[in-house]
Amino acid sequence: MAKEFLFLSGRISALESKLLTDAQLDRMIMARTPKDAFRVLVELQYASQFDDSTEAKDFLKVITQGLKETKQMILDGTDNDESFEFIWKSFDLNNLKRALKIKLVDGESEITDFSEDNGFNWLGALTPEDISKIVFQADKEAIQKIPREYREVLQKADKIFAETENFQEIEFLLDKAHFDFLNRVANGKGVPFLKKWLTKMADFANIKAVARNLFIFETKFSREMFLDHGKIAYEDLAKISSSEDFEELFKKYELFFLEGVLKENKTAEENIIALERATEKEMDFFLKMAEADALGEIEVPLVYLHRRIKNARKIKYVMFGKFYGMEPERIYETLKHI
């Protein structure tokens, strides 16, 4: 396996120069037409998807095919190592949530449109048929394809919704199950990087949830919302009721990059945006350092895949923005959340 990672790391090193840069993103955003913006993709890893008939309107097909090739490269080069569940499983989780909502909230008996426009994503390990069999048919064979942590939630999802009519409760339980599953993977692999990544994911998710509840919804952060496996204790998060309380939390847990981010004179939305931007920047830095310190190890393909998917999201949004005639300022503002 080490040899395979070393070989794959070499391939990735050659491909990293094809990742989207800030300068290329700026050129896309400031381009006069969708066609001009689309030309930038030829400079990236999507160049092999172009032929004489390719047009700007084909950007989704080009991006999808490019990501499919990257996914296959990762699967082949790592023998589908379980560590990559840190990425693939988030898409499966999204698809299961979406299908459950169609079933429980919308009252539908099947998925008629498995597309990104309808909230689904094809990057997960589960096929559309798997998702349908799991959610709508309770097919035992298909259900075995999902982590046992997910299965425990799905077994009681119908009953919970019938009693509460609150789909968010099911989402909270699935999120908890997802983090429990990732913790099991990290412990099983014995890779310190995965444990550190999970800790940051949990802490950042909890901090942002507390902030949204405080600034947007003006409600208390509850135990049901709390994700385990971070280093910040629930009790410390639950008692936050002001920006000053956040500052004390950041000092206590040495989250220096968040100090001064939340301000009383900012609007609720401005504070949330600032917090999201700061945590995203810190996560990017963490992943970059992890990749830089690794040689032929799992961090290299994991971080590359994470960056590749993130870049694709940005490119998609910019291209949609150009086709809909969005002003560059609005595109820049929205990209802060992607």
Side-chain angles (χ1 to χ4, degrees):
M1 188 62 70
K3 277 189 174 181
E4 290 178 330
F5 287 163
L6 191 60
F7 174 73
L8 183 59
S9 295
R11 289 189 64 185
I12 287 172
S13 294
L15 293 171
E16 284 187 322
S17 63
K18 297 295 184 179
L19 287 169
L20 182 72
T21 66
D22 289 341
Q24 289 168 323
L25 185 63
D26 288 337
R27 281 169 48 206
M28 290 186 70
I29 295 171
M30 300 306 297
R32 290 187 306 106
T33 67
K35 183 178 180 180
D36 292 335
F38 188 59
R39 287 196 185 100
V40 175
L41 271 67
V42 180
E43 303 168 15
L44 309 177
Q45 201 173 333
Y46 302 103
S48 61
Q49 313 305 322
F50 283 73
D51 57 34
D52 293 341
S53 65
T54 306
E55 300 178 11
K57 63 181 177 61
D58 301 320
F59 73 92
L60 278 178
K61 182 173 69 175
V62 169
I63 293 171
T64 297
Q65 189 56 40
L67 284 178
K68 283 182 177 179
E69 289 187 359
T70 296
K71 180 177 181 178
Q72 196 59 53
M73 177 185 75
I74 296 293
L75 292 176
D76 293 343
T78 63
D79 194 26
N80 197 13
D81 189 274
E82 193 178 19
S83 301
F84 285 86
E85 295 288 21
F86 266 68
I87 293 179
W88 307 135
K89 201 55 69 189
S90 64
F91 297 110
D92 286 334
L93 178 69
N94 169 81
N95 292 342
L96 286 168
K97 284 182 179 179
R98 182 70 188 108
L100 276 169
K101 192 169 186 180
I102 289 172
K103 174 188 176 183
L104 299 175
V105 179
D106 300 340
E108 300 293 334
S109 59
E110 62 179 342
I111 301 171
T112 57
D113 178 19
F114 193 95
S115 68
E116 291 191 51
D117 287 342
N118 197 29
F120 291 98
N121 193 294
W122 57 268
L123 269 170
L126 299 172
T127 66
E129 292 74 21
D130 289 333
I131 298 291
S132 291
K133 288 181 179 180
I134 291 167
V135 173
F136 293 96
Q137 302 170 31
D139 183 90
K140 292 182 179 179
E141 185 176 346
I143 288 173
Q144 290 304 309
K145 295 182 179 182
I146 61 176
R148 62 172 181 264
E149 294 84 353
Y150 288 21
R151 295 199 293 267
E152 292 172 5
V153 177
L154 288 174
Q155 286 171 359
K156 54 188 178 182
D158 288 22
K159 182 179 179 182
I160 291 172
F161 189 76
E163 293 175 351
T164 66
E165 294 188 352
N166 184 357
F167 187 73
Q168 195 172 47
E169 287 193 24
I170 297 170
E171 291 185 301
F172 289 151
L173 288 171
L174 281 171
D175 287 338
K176 283 177 173 290
H178 178 63
F179 274 73
D180 287 345
F181 165 68
L182 293 183
N183 184 60
R184 178 159 61 88
V185 171
N187 287 334
K189 296 301 296 183
V191 179
F193 163 69
L194 294 178
K195 290 289 290 184
K196 292 176 183 177
W197 193 6
L198 179 60
T199 297
K200 287 186 179 294
M201 287 167 62
D203 283 339
F204 292 175
N206 285 329
I207 288 172
K208 287 186 283 188
V210 173
R212 284 193 296 271
N213 275 272
L214 176 63
F215 297 122
I216 303 294
F217 305 117
E218 299 182 355
T219 57
K220 293 291 291 183
F221 181 71
S222 67
R223 172 67 72 172
E224 289 73 25
M225 303 173 186
F226 178 71
L227 296 173
D228 294 311
H229 313 301
K231 68 177 183 178
I232 304 176
Y234 166 72
E235 291 72 19
D236 288 331
L237 292 163
K239 65 185 180 184
I240 291 177
S241 60
S242 68
S243 297
E244 288 79 7
D245 290 339
F246 266 116
E247 290 300 315
E248 291 301 315
L249 181 84
F250 298 155
K251 287 184 174 66
K252 178 176 181 177
Y253 287 94
E254 299 183 347
L255 302 172
F256 305 121
F257 64 97
L258 290 176
E259 290 185 17
V261 169
L262 301 175
K263 301 183 184 297
E264 292 288 355
N265 61 351
K266 284 184 178 181
T267 66
E269 185 175 330
E270 286 172 338
N271 270 322
I272 296 300
I273 291 173
L275 187 61
E276 288 180 346
R277 197 180 306 168
T279 53
E280 188 69 21
K281 184 176 180 181
E282 177 66 14
M283 184 65 85
D284 285 345
F285 179 75
F286 163 72
L287 293 174
K288 183 178 180 180
M289 290 300 98
E291 181 189 34
D293 292 339
L295 178 63
E297 298 174 14
I298 196 69
E299 289 90 328
V300 176
L302 265 171
V303 174
Y304 173 76
L305 179 60
H306 174 80
R307 293 171 64 193
R308 185 94 163 84
I309 292 170
K310 185 176 178 181
N311 281 352
R313 288 195 189 107
K314 290 182 177 181
I315 293 169
K316 284 181 188 178
Y317 183 78
V318 173
M319 288 305 302
F320 275 121
K322 302 311 290 186
F323 272 106
Y324 284 108
M326 291 172 59
E327 293 297 323
E329 292 77 15
R330 185 180 170 193
I331 296 176
Y332 275 119
E333 190 62 31
T334 306
L335 283 176
K336 294 174 184 177
H337 304 276
I338 297 176

